[in-house]
């Protein structure tokens, strides 16, 4: 009997707060240039480097992503971290995904900023021992050969990948200030809904500040 080869899946983790054009450019690059058949967006409940109060609701972000990727069956949304216990360590999420999808071989798509901090990640040695990394450039975070030697593992640099010059923070601030940057979002038709969500979020933050 012929053994079925595993599906090659590249995991792209993020809070996607919200998903935008720069994220989409990287997804297209991964599908066209990386050794993968699918890209799975692993939605994080919170960005560990940002205040939880700045996060749009998880369910809203998930629905927004589903709308954005609806026309491409090669891109899937993973909401697993919403039900996994905190803190959400990448190695734990990967372990759960491997148990749920034994027919898949996973790699990670991360920015060079994250690669520079990788040795601060929980159990990063196990991550490097079990998972290939594909690294896209981020402004101000150059990777040097000694960084790769220090970390070890299977790390592939992709300097030709699109640089993410757009941030979700910029888009949120623009929406709150009344500046129309819908063309830079992943779903321009949902700009007004995004603005409404952000206004509600901003109101809750302000209310909490005045009523500690």
């Amino acid at each position: 009997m012929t053994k079925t080869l595993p599906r090659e899946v590249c995991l792209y983790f993020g809070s996607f707060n919200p998903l935008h054009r720069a994220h989409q450019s990287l997804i297209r690059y991964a599908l066209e240039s990386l050794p993968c058949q699918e890209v799975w967006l692993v939605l994080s409940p919170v960005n560990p480097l940002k205040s939880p109060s700045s996060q749009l609701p998880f369910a809203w972000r998930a629905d927004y992503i589903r709308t954005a990727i609806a026309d491409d069956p090669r891109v899937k949304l993973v909401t697993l971290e919403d039900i996994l216990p905190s803190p959400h360590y990448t190695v734990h999420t990967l372990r759960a995904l491997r148990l749920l999808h034994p027919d898949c071989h996973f790699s990670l798509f991360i920015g060079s900023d994250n690669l520079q901090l990788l040795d601060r990640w929980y159990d990063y040695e196990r991550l490097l021992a079990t998972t290939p990394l594909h690294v896209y450039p981020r402004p101000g975070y150059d990777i040097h050969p000694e960084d790769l030697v220090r970390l070890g593992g299977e790390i592939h640099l992709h300097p030709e990948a699109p640089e993410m010059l757009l941030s979700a923070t910029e888009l949120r601030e623009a929406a709150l200030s009344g500046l129309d940057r819908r063309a830079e979002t992943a779903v321009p038709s949902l700009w007004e809904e995004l603005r409404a969500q952000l206004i509600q979020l901003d109101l809750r933050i302000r209310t909490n500040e005045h009523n500690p």
Side-chain angles (χ1 to χ4, degrees):
M1 181 180 291
T2 303
K3 184 178 180 180
T4 303
L5 294 175
R7 277 186 296 160
E8 294 292 337
V9 176
C10 188
L11 301 175
Y12 184 10
F13 282 69
S15 57
F16 304 117
N17 191 40
L19 189 75
H20 54 64
R21 291 294 190 193
H23 294 130
Q24 291 177 306
S25 293
L26 286 167
I27 293 166
R28 283 193 296 272
Y29 173 84
L31 289 168
E32 293 168 2
S33 303
L34 301 187
C36 67
Q37 297 161 284
E38 299 176 5
V39 172
W40 293 6
L41 306 181
V42 183
L43 183 59
S44 303
V46 296
N47 183 329
L49 302 177
K50 303 282 180 69
S51 168
S53 64
S54 68
Q55 302 289 304
L56 287 157
F58 184 91
W60 191 90
R61 283 181 283 141
D63 286 342
Y64 188 86
I65 293 170
R66 290 188 187 98
T67 301
I69 67 176
D71 294 332
D72 195 337
R74 299 172 299 170
V75 186
K76 294 180 169 53
L77 173 65
V78 176
T79 59
L80 182 63
E81 287 197 340
D82 193 40
I83 60 173
L84 289 178
S86 297
H88 299 108
Y89 295 124
T90 301
V91 289
H92 290 171
T93 303
L94 273 164
R95 181 170 179 245
L97 285 170
R98 288 184 173 117
L99 289 170
L100 290 168
H101 303 281
D103 60 327
C104 293
H105 178 257
F106 295 109
S107 60
L108 283 187
F109 196 31
I110 67 171
S112 58
D113 52 341
N114 278 320
L115 186 66
Q116 285 196 359
L117 298 172
L118 195 68
D119 57 1
R120 302 182 194 177
W121 288 22
Y122 176 81
D123 210 357
Y124 78 95
E125 297 97 338
R126 191 199 315 177
L127 175 65
L128 286 168
T130 59
T131 312
L133 304 186
H134 296 279
V135 184
Y136 59 86
R138 290 299 305 269
Y141 294 92
D142 296 331
I143 301 300
H144 305 287
E146 55 267 28
D147 296 322
L148 303 184
V149 172
R150 173 175 55 84
L151 289 169
E154 184 182 344
I155 302 175
H156 306 276
L157 302 183
H158 299 275
E160 75 287 354
E163 272 198 87
M164 189 183 290
L165 302 176
L166 174 66
S167 76
T169 301
E170 291 175 40
L171 293 178
R172 294 195 306 271
E173 291 174 350
L176 286 172
S177 67
L179 182 63
D180 192 338
R181 295 181 64 174
R182 73 182 69 207
E184 297 169 276
T185 63
V187 190
S189 63
L190 292 180
W191 177 254
E192 293 304 329
E193 186 176 328
L194 171 62
R195 285 194 71 237
Q197 287 288 332
L198 289 168
I199 289 169
Q200 290 178 28
L201 180 62
D202 186 60
L203 181 60
R204 285 198 296 271
I205 292 171
R206 293 176 185 275
T207 301
N208 290 337
E209 287 175 350
H210 286 92
N211 299 285

